Amino acid sequence: MDLSNNTIERICKIFGHLDALEKKGVDFVSSRELAEEIGATEHTIRKDISLLGGPGYTRKGYEVRTFKKELGEKFLLTQKRNACIVGLGRLGTALLDYENFQEDGFEIVAGFDCNVNKIERIRTNIDVFPVGRLAEIVRARSIELGIIAVPAEAAQVVVDQLTEAGVKGVLNFSPVKVNVPANIVHLDMDFTNALRFIAARFIMKKNNDQK
Amino acid sequence: MDLSNNTIERICKIFGHLDALEKKGVDFVSSRELAEEIGATEHTIRKDISLLGGPGYTRKGYEVRTFKKELGEKFLLTQKRNACIVGLGRLGTALLDYENFQEDGFEIVAGFDCNVNKIERIRTNIDVFPVGRLAEIVRARSIELGIIAVPAEAAQVVVDQLTEAGVKGVLNFSPVKVNVPANIVHLDMDFTNALRFIAARFIMKKNNDQK
DNA sequence: GGGTGTGAAGATTTTCACAGCA
DNA sequence: TGCTGTGAAAATCTTCACACCC
């Protein structure tokens, strides 16, 4: 089984949507409905699902609960995973209390910052530590995911410490590309790039429409 | 000219990296160096650039300043663009003061929230308004980009108001997919999905390595 | 009838290979 | 020599079409 990133991304979105449907009490969902919600075609969705090998012959679509459960098991998306946030500036503290993480199997079990005074001022239910204790805490609390919210210049150092300490994945909110060992999964979320992307797409769109 | 999203995304990253190089005082950069920084192959980078049609025959690589300028002009990435943030919870207020936006041609010129008491408590240099004045302010301040940081259930309403008021692009941080008219560019940044993606990729990686 | 599953066709994206400029 | 530009090949991803199940 060797799924493309695009497929994985869609599967993740599907999982999220199934979760929402389950909460709403919906029992069945068709590939067409999923496609619309996910932003893809129904063919693509069916193909993705076909790659996972889950047969679901009914004339009503996929059974929400079983399908979600199946996806969750296949990708271990349901298993609780411990995460930490490094860098407790405005973004970092915002993420500390981002309630959607908790709801969805990810638990923030620690926050780190290099500024000890700041740590003492932060009000949150989550334990916060000086960054010097990062490795120790990551190991002690079985933290698998590191979320980077430090300034650009500190990002690489933090990533190195995290991977050294044994995290398996890194979500990078700092506006620089970071290098990670090949066996670590990472994803960059650069807000400025996102805005640039929107602006560039917009320009292209305008050019095309004028033709 | 009809560039794929992937290409546009890489171009945006290249632009960001050129900016960094310029600040460092670097004069030339090769496709190989760019590729490494961007996370792509040098072939892809050269192809992307080739699609833009900019010839740069030197044996030292691309000239950083001119190349950046050219990209900026082609995509109007250098032009100042006004943006606003709707939803001033923890994430929204963090974004209000996200200094990297300013540096890069995007200016947050307004914030909105439905809670008037909250608005009075917020300390920032940026003007904040009740969400009822959204359309008025968007028009008055020529806001082109809307950044959504409201809870899931309010996201679609806000998007509708923004597009109605005439924004051209939407960056959605709420954890739901929103519908926008076809002529509006939008991008979803769902943090939970990002973590899911990392977790799923990690699982797949492990499976493959075991083989 | 209403929906899925999947091999094959089609479209797109990436990679290659080599000509071409400084 | 060193690095880019680009048509063509290769690889990948999406779409289609139709068999198949309930």
Side-chain angles (χ1 to χ4, degrees):
Chain A
M1 196 201 338
D2 200 15
L3 308 180
S4 75
N5 277 356
N6 287 1
T7 295
I8 296 179
E9 204 181 322
R10 282 190 298 262
I11 299 279
C12 289
K13 287 185 188 169
I14 290 173
F15 185 86
H17 189 55
L18 288 174
D19 195 50
L21 288 175
E22 191 180 21
K23 277 176 191 140
K24 269 197 218 159
V26 177
D27 288 334
F28 291 90
V29 62
S30 69
S31 55
R32 188 169 338 107
E33 291 170 273
L34 282 175
E36 188 158 332
E37 195 64 27
I38 290 337
T41 76
E42 58 180 302
H43 306 284
T44 307
I45 298 294
R46 287 216 300 277
K47 190 63 163 182
D48 287 341
I49 294 173
S50 149
L51 293 172
L52 297 173
Y57 280 129
T58 77
R59 61 174 167 165
K60 307 179 198 167
Y62 303 97
E63 220 257 291
V64 172
R65 285 168 58 85
T66 38
F67 188 26
K68 185 196 152 195
K69 203 171 144 217
E70 206 179 315
L71 281 185
E73 280 161 8
K74 200 150 261 167
F75 291 111
L76 302 197
L77 250 29
T78 40
Q79 179 184 299
K80 274 258 174 290
R81 290 178 184 282
N82 292 338
C84 69
I85 294 174
V86 189
L88 301 175
R90 304 190 79 135
L91 179 61
T93 47
L95 292 169
L96 261 191
D97 289 315
Y98 189 64
E99 56 220 351
N100 300 85
F101 287 151
Q102 263 83 321
E103 263 187 35
D104 213 51
F106 298 99
E107 188 151 5
I108 312 288
V109 297
F112 300 95
D113 199 285
C114 56
N115 183 333
V116 178
N117 293 331
K118 190 190 285 174
I119 289 177
E120 289 179 355
R121 265 183 283 119
I122 288 174
R123 294 154 157 260
T124 170
N125 296 325
I126 292 157
D127 295 338
V128 294
F129 304 94
V131 78
R133 297 184 61 193
L134 195 147
E136 169 205 343
I137 303 288
V138 164
R139 293 200 182 92
R141 304 201 170 184
S142 309
I143 292 173
E144 292 185 292
L145 288 160
I147 298 172
I148 314 261
V150 300
E153 57 276 15
Q156 186 62 54
V157 177
V158 168
V159 170
D160 293 344
Q161 291 180 319
L162 282 168
T163 53
E164 178 75 18
V167 301
K168 297 163 176 174
V170 169
L171 180 57
N172 174 34
F173 283 99
S174 88
V176 290
K177 197 230 167 203
V178 291
N179 295 309
V180 299
N183 61 326
I184 305 288
V185 178
H186 91 292
L187 189 63
D188 293 315
M189 294 211 113
D190 184 333
F191 298 160
T192 306
N193 248 341
L195 286 188
R196 272 194 211 118
F197 179 80
I198 291 174
R201 284 261 326 245
F202 171 67
I203 297 298
M204 296 232 9
K205 204 159 217 169
K206 202 161 69 177
N207 289 345
N208 285 345
D209 291 352
Q210 278 172 1
K211 275 175 208 162
Chain B
M1 196 200 340
D2 201 15
L3 308 180
S4 75
N5 277 356
N6 287 0
T7 294
I8 297 179
E9 203 180 323
R10 282 189 297 262
I11 299 279
C12 289
K13 286 184 187 170
I14 289 174
F15 185 85
H17 189 54
L18 288 175
D19 195 50
L21 288 174
E22 191 180 22
K23 278 179 190 139
K24 269 196 217 160
V26 177
D27 289 332
F28 290 91
V29 62
S30 69
S31 55
R32 190 170 334 107
E33 290 171 274
L34 281 175
E36 189 159 328
E37 196 64 26
I38 292 337
T41 77
E42 56 179 303
H43 307 283
T44 307
I45 299 293
R46 288 217 298 278
K47 189 63 164 183
D48 287 342
I49 294 173
S50 148
L51 294 171
L52 297 172
Y57 280 128
T58 76
R59 62 174 167 166
K60 307 179 197 167
Y62 303 96
E63 220 258 289
V64 172
R65 285 167 57 87
T66 38
F67 188 26
K68 185 197 151 194
K69 202 172 142 216
E70 204 179 317
L71 281 186
E73 280 162 8
K74 200 149 262 168
F75 291 112
L76 302 197
L77 250 28
T78 41
Q79 179 184 301
K80 275 258 173 289
R81 287 177 186 284
N82 292 340
C84 69
I85 294 175
V86 189
L88 301 175
R90 304 191 78 136
L91 179 62
T93 47
L95 291 169
L96 262 191
D97 289 315
Y98 189 63
E99 57 219 352
N100 300 85
F101 287 150
Q102 263 82 322
E103 263 186 38
D104 213 50
F106 298 100
E107 188 151 7
I108 312 289
V109 297
F112 300 95
D113 199 284
C114 57
N115 183 333
V116 179
N117 294 331
K118 191 190 286 175
I119 289 177
E120 289 179 357
R121 266 183 283 116
I122 288 174
R123 293 154 157 259
T124 171
N125 297 323
I126 291 156
D127 297 337
V128 295
F129 304 94
V131 79
R133 296 186 60 194
L134 195 147
E136 168 204 344
I137 302 288
V138 164
R139 293 200 181 93
R141 305 202 170 184
S142 309
I143 292 173
E144 293 185 292
L145 289 160
I147 299 172
I148 315 261
V150 300
E153 56 277 15
Q156 186 61 55
V157 178
V158 168
V159 169
D160 293 344
Q161 290 179 319
L162 282 168
T163 52
E164 177 76 18
V167 301
K168 297 161 175 177
V170 169
L171 179 57
N172 174 34
F173 283 99
S174 88
V176 291
K177 198 227 165 205
V178 291
N179 295 310
V180 300
N183 61 327
I184 305 287
V185 179
H186 91 292
L187 187 63
D188 293 315
M189 294 213 113
D190 184 335
F191 298 160
T192 305
N193 247 342
L195 287 187
R196 271 193 212 121
F197 180 79
I198 292 175
R201 283 263 325 247
F202 172 68
I203 297 299
M204 296 230 11
K205 203 160 218 168
K206 202 162 69 178
N207 289 347
N208 286 345
D209 292 352
Q210 279 172 358
K211 274 176 207 162

